[in-house]
Amino acid sequence: MIDFKDVVKTYAGETILGGVSFRINPGDRVGVVGPNGAGKSTLFGIITGEVPPDRGTVSLPKDLRLGILRQHLPEDEVERPLVEFTADAIPELRTMHEELLRLEQQLHEGVEDNDRLDALLSRHGRLQSQIEHLGAYRLKSEAEEALSNLGFREADFVKPLRAFSGGWRMRAALARVLISRPDILMLDEPSNYLDIPAVEWLCRFLKSFPGTLLLISHDRFLLRKLTNLTLEVNSGQVTRYAGDYDYYRAERENRRRSLEAAKRNSDRKREHLERVIDRFRAKSSKAAQAKSWQKALDKMEEIELPDDLNYHGAIRFPEPPPGGVEAARLEDLSFSYVPGHPVLEHVNLTIDAGDKLAFIGYNGMGKTTLLKLLVGKLKPTSGRVVLGHHSVIGYQAQEFADLLVPEQTVYDVVRGNLPAGASTAGLMNVLGSFGFSGEAASKTCGVLSGGEKIRLLFARIFVNPPNFLVLDEPTTHLDIAARELLQEAIRNYSGTVCIVSHDIEFVRNTATGIIAMEPPGIRKYFGNYDYYLEKSAELRAAGVTTSPETGAGLMNGSPDLARNRRRARAQAREALAAERKRAENAVAALEEKLETLETRRTELLAQLSGGGRIDFSEVNRELARVQSDIAATETAWESAAEELEEVRRKNAEIHQG
């Protein structure tokens, strides 16, 4: 067991742990939760012995092996081949192997003393048994299996660690600690560098882990699936909850409500005593009674409420500007970073206004690349991206928080995203709506928390309100409470959203459609994450190929039934194809005409306000004709758009049938 008794730890005068006591029993599966900076990693450091407590004791059984996922790898490891580094998972095996080699060398050279020979042979046998017991001969194959499940390719196994980015190195470190089969497994944010398929595999692996598990995580999916005990680290205290994450949330709220009621009663009693003491203190006949009341008042303990972990920073998205029925369209899109090696190939995808799509798949499958193509940061090798009528994009790059200049203020970051020539008059209102009122707007980026950085991102985006949000890993710097607030804001947002995220619960609570990356293409599922899990499992069971085909994720049942349904849907789609093409062409032609008319109207208005020598009556007559044409074209566009929407609705019904 792990036993903390009155443990105190301070840093620079700030109390991180203030006399905490708790116990973790063998086999417990512990979720360690709490706000960023509360001391969760410090708790791990004290358990491993790397961080000494200022006071108190921590006891662990001496014969237990710890497996620890560290956030940084030693530099002397980076030259080792990937599979060799990963398979070297049990440090004591190195010492045993070295001793075994020395013994074998001595035996090879010959030993004349029979007693010494017997001792060497006996030690050699014991060492071999210990090495086998620790699983030395399984480690390489298990390392290869774990690396494959975490997204590495077989060709990667011989590459040195330095050939991989920091995130991929952390995956290797995770594989290494998982296959070591320790008695106590300690994981600090293991899903930070994982994509959704890898998180799903990690969850399955850890479910079968037989030892004690300690998991620091903001990933609600892992906490719900893997833990049966929760430790909340907050405000210098560690509170133990005898249940998983959902139990912890409910029990914490129940405790808070009970304490609030007790505090109200205590405060009322305190106020009553204070009033009667003040009233009767000066009366000699009541002096003794007043003293008695004072003693009772002095003995009353102050009831302290636990900190409210709900996130109070504002994330309120303003109403998006109107746009067309289609936010964007990818037409036969292909992209390669290196000629002849396509990342994406012949991708066709329609993103309708109001869609909330999550792009999922292993890292390296092209999710971020697809978002960058969508927003114009990359240009297709072939095919094209067509933005919808009046689509206004708000884009968060994955590396946004890492690129903030520490000395730059919140105000300057947001002002820098204003359109050219735009007034700064409403800037403070935007900042206030995202929790940066008053002096908070003068904060420098270097002092911002993860939650504040994400609010700054959205303040920067919404200073020019978009109707099409494209978000690449928006939850990376957020704790659980901030993630829940962001997902609520996205859920209530009436615009279009495309998201890449490794947080399964975040995807589950925001996405209404799933784009599964199955390079060199995609597969679209017309439902939420749970629908995707159900239908993709049915596809695998039916033996359906994973080759990309938009909408194919809606087939289910036996192979014959799935084949018949595919055939029926294909026939229905063919019947609608010409109608859809005609409607799309009509909408596109009207949108092109609207753009031409609006450009001409702008030119005419510029002539009228320019002060040059013009025929005002002729310009006004043409302006009136253009405005009339715009009104008529907008009416026709609305009708055509409604017709296209109806065709798409029928098409969606075919997929869902």
Side-chain angles (χ1 to χ4, degrees):
M1 79 184 76
I2 301 173
D3 217 358
F4 273 57
K5 292 183 179 177
D6 196 29
V7 171
V8 174
K9 185 64 186 177
T10 60
Y11 286 114
E14 181 182 356
T15 299
I16 304 299
L17 300 174
V20 303
S21 299
F22 62 86
R23 175 173 293 175
I24 298 171
N25 294 311
D28 280 345
R29 307 176 70 80
V30 185
V32 184
V33 302
N36 288 332
K40 302 185 294 294
S41 295
T42 299
L43 200 70
F44 268 28
I46 291 174
I47 293 173
T48 62
E50 296 167 313
V51 178
D54 298 331
R55 195 179 74 232
T57 60
V58 179
S59 60
L60 291 85
K62 292 182 180 179
D63 57 343
L64 291 186
R65 292 176 49 245
L66 294 179
I68 309 153
L69 175 64
R70 304 182 186 279
Q71 294 298 324
H72 302 284
L73 299 181
E75 283 302 314
D76 59 358
E77 297 274 22
V78 299
E79 296 301 326
R80 302 180 69 183
L82 173 66
V83 75
E84 179 188 308
F85 164 81
T86 307
D88 188 11
I90 303 176
E92 52 263 48
L93 278 175
R94 286 183 233 167
T95 306
M96 291 180 180
H97 277 299
E98 289 169 1
E99 185 181 354
L100 198 65
L101 288 173
R102 287 196 300 271
L103 290 172
E104 289 172 350
Q105 180 65 30
Q106 289 175 325
L107 291 169
H108 176 72
E109 292 171 354
V111 180
E112 295 180 0
D113 186 308
N114 288 335
D115 290 341
R116 177 164 171 70
L117 177 61
D118 290 341
L120 290 177
L121 289 171
S122 177
R123 178 59 182 160
H124 188 277
R126 287 198 305 274
L127 272 175
Q128 281 191 319
S129 296
Q130 287 176 304
I131 289 170
E132 289 177 13
H133 177 71
L134 287 171
Y137 306 113
R138 62 168 170 81
L139 286 174
K140 187 172 185 294
S141 61
E142 290 190 1
E144 291 175 347
E145 181 182 356
L147 289 169
S148 297
N149 283 313
L150 288 171
F152 288 97
R153 296 168 299 181
E154 189 174 346
D156 294 330
F157 294 169
V158 296
K159 294 179 182 177
L161 270 180
R162 59 175 165 73
F164 301 95
S165 67
W168 284 97
R169 292 182 194 181
M170 289 310 303
R171 288 183 182 225
L174 176 60
R176 187 189 204 186
V177 72
L178 291 178
I179 67 170
S180 69
R181 297 186 183 176
D183 299 299
I184 300 174
L185 181 57
M186 302 172 65
L187 303 178
D188 189 348
E189 296 291 359
S191 63
N192 263 4
Y193 301 99
L194 303 184
D195 42 52
I196 283 179
V199 172
E200 294 271 16
W201 174 81
L202 176 64
C203 184
R204 291 193 297 272
F205 185 98
L206 291 177
K207 273 190 171 182
S208 62
F209 173 68
T212 303
L213 173 67
L214 275 69
L215 173 67
I216 293 176
S217 184
H218 294 311
D219 191 318
R220 293 159 291 170
F221 174 77
L222 289 181
L223 290 170
R224 286 188 172 108
K225 292 285 188 180
L226 297 173
T227 64
N228 58 20
L229 175 70
T230 304
L231 295 179
E232 179 194 275
V233 185
N234 188 38
S235 299
Q237 296 301 312
V238 176
T239 308
R240 190 178 191 273
Y241 292 83
D244 64 7
Y245 178 72
D246 288 330
Y247 173 87
Y248 151 71
R249 290 293 295 264
E251 181 63 17
R252 190 183 201 280
E253 186 58 31
N254 289 337
R255 291 186 190 184
R256 183 178 180 84
R257 281 199 295 265
S258 298
L259 283 173
E260 284 174 345
K263 183 173 174 57
R264 284 194 298 270
N265 291 333
S266 176
D267 289 346
R268 280 196 295 267
K269 186 175 181 181
R270 184 183 298 276
E271 289 170 5
H272 173 71
L273 285 172
E274 287 172 347
R275 282 198 305 271
V276 296
I277 289 168
D278 289 341
R279 181 178 176 186
F280 295 113
R281 181 182 286 132
K283 294 185 178 182
S284 58
S285 61
K286 295 289 187 179
Q289 186 66 56
K291 283 184 180 180
S292 175
W293 288 332
Q294 184 64 54
K295 287 180 181 178
L297 181 62
D298 293 340
K299 287 180 180 178
M300 288 183 66
E301 292 185 4
E302 186 72 34
I303 296 176
E304 293 186 7
L305 297 178
D307 287 352
D308 185 359
L309 294 186
N310 291 327
Y311 186 72
H312 295 293
I315 301 181
R316 295 191 300 272
F317 295 167
E319 190 63 23
V325 296
E326 191 175 85
R329 185 170 67 252
L330 310 181
E331 296 181 348
D332 199 32
L333 181 142
S334 298
F335 180 81
S336 302
Y337 288 102
V338 179
H341 298 278
V343 178
L344 299 166
E345 197 169 13
H346 303 303
V347 173
N348 291 284
L349 174 66
T350 297
I351 301 171
D352 294 323
D355 275 354
K356 292 184 173 65
L357 302 178
F359 294 73
I360 67 172
Y362 281 112
N363 285 349
M365 293 290 189
K367 303 187 297 294
T368 292
T369 298
L370 188 55
L371 293 194
K372 287 183 175 179
L373 288 162
L374 192 57
V375 302
K377 297 292 183 182
L378 294 174
K379 300 298 179 187
T381 305
S382 62
R384 63 174 186 158
V385 177
V386 182
L387 289 182
H389 185 58
H390 286 170
S391 283
V392 181
I393 288 178
Y395 174 54
Q396 176 206 348
Q398 188 174 132
E399 63 276 8
F400 169 80
D402 299 326
L403 297 178
L404 289 172
V405 178
E407 296 77 22
Q408 198 171 19
T409 68
V410 167
Y411 181 89
D412 290 337
V413 170
V414 177
R415 183 181 61 182
N417 210 45
L418 277 171
S423 169
T424 61
L427 196 56
M428 290 306 296
N429 288 335
V430 174
L431 286 166
S433 70
F434 287 93
F436 293 108
S437 300
E439 294 181 359
S442 301
K443 279 187 174 182
T444 59
C445 296
V447 302
L448 297 181
S449 67
E452 287 173 322
K453 286 178 180 177
I454 202 71
R455 286 193 279 123
L456 174 57
L457 161 74
F458 285 109
R460 176 179 172 273
I461 287 176
F462 278 92
V463 75
N464 181 31
N467 50 27
F468 186 7
L469 279 177
V470 180
L471 309 176
D472 194 356
E473 298 291 4
T475 65
T476 299
H477 296 278
L478 302 185
D479 58 22
I480 291 174
R483 292 180 189 209
E484 290 177 344
L485 193 69
L486 177 58
Q487 75 188 26
E488 185 68 18
I490 290 174
R491 202 160 45 220
N492 294 332
Y493 178 60
S494 59
T496 308
V497 185
C498 287
I499 302 169
V500 168
S501 177
H502 65 260
D503 186 326
I504 291 175
E505 286 300 310
F506 186 79
V507 169
R508 177 174 276 130
N509 284 286
T510 55
T512 57
I514 300 295
I515 306 298
M517 306 299 293
E518 299 174 351
I522 63 171
R523 187 187 298 276
K524 186 173 183 179
Y525 293 81
F526 293 84
N528 63 13
Y529 184 73
D530 292 318
Y531 178 89
Y532 152 75
L533 290 179
E534 176 190 346
K535 295 305 176 185
S536 59
E538 289 177 357
L539 281 172
R540 289 192 297 272
V544 177
T545 176
T546 58
S547 62
E549 180 186 351
T550 300
L554 297 161
M555 296 174 287
N556 55 45
S558 67
D560 289 340
L561 179 58
R563 198 177 300 114
N564 291 336
R565 288 181 175 177
R566 286 200 300 276
R567 186 181 299 114
R569 278 197 290 271
Q571 292 170 350
R573 280 198 301 271
E574 286 177 11
L576 277 176
E579 187 178 351
R580 174 170 177 159
K581 189 65 176 176
R582 182 190 59 75
E584 286 176 343
N585 289 340
V587 168
L590 288 167
E591 288 178 352
E592 185 176 345
K593 183 178 179 181
L594 269 175
E595 287 183 9
T596 302
L597 289 168
E598 286 171 350
T599 300
R600 183 55 183 160
R601 179 172 62 180
T602 302
E603 292 170 351
L604 293 170
L605 289 171
Q607 289 179 27
L608 289 173
S609 61
R613 298 185 63 182
I614 61 170
D615 185 340
F616 281 93
S617 60
E618 178 58 32
V619 171
N620 275 315
R621 279 195 294 274
E622 184 179 356
L623 181 60
R625 287 197 300 273
V626 167
Q627 288 175 329
S628 176
D629 287 348
I630 287 175
T633 305
E634 284 180 339
T635 300
W637 175 83
E638 288 174 4
S639 176
E642 287 176 2
E643 184 178 344
L644 176 57
E645 186 65 22
E646 178 63 18
V647 173
R648 285 179 177 155
R649 185 190 62 76
K650 292 178 182 177
N651 196 55
E653 287 178 354
I654 292 170
H655 283 302
Q656 293 169 353

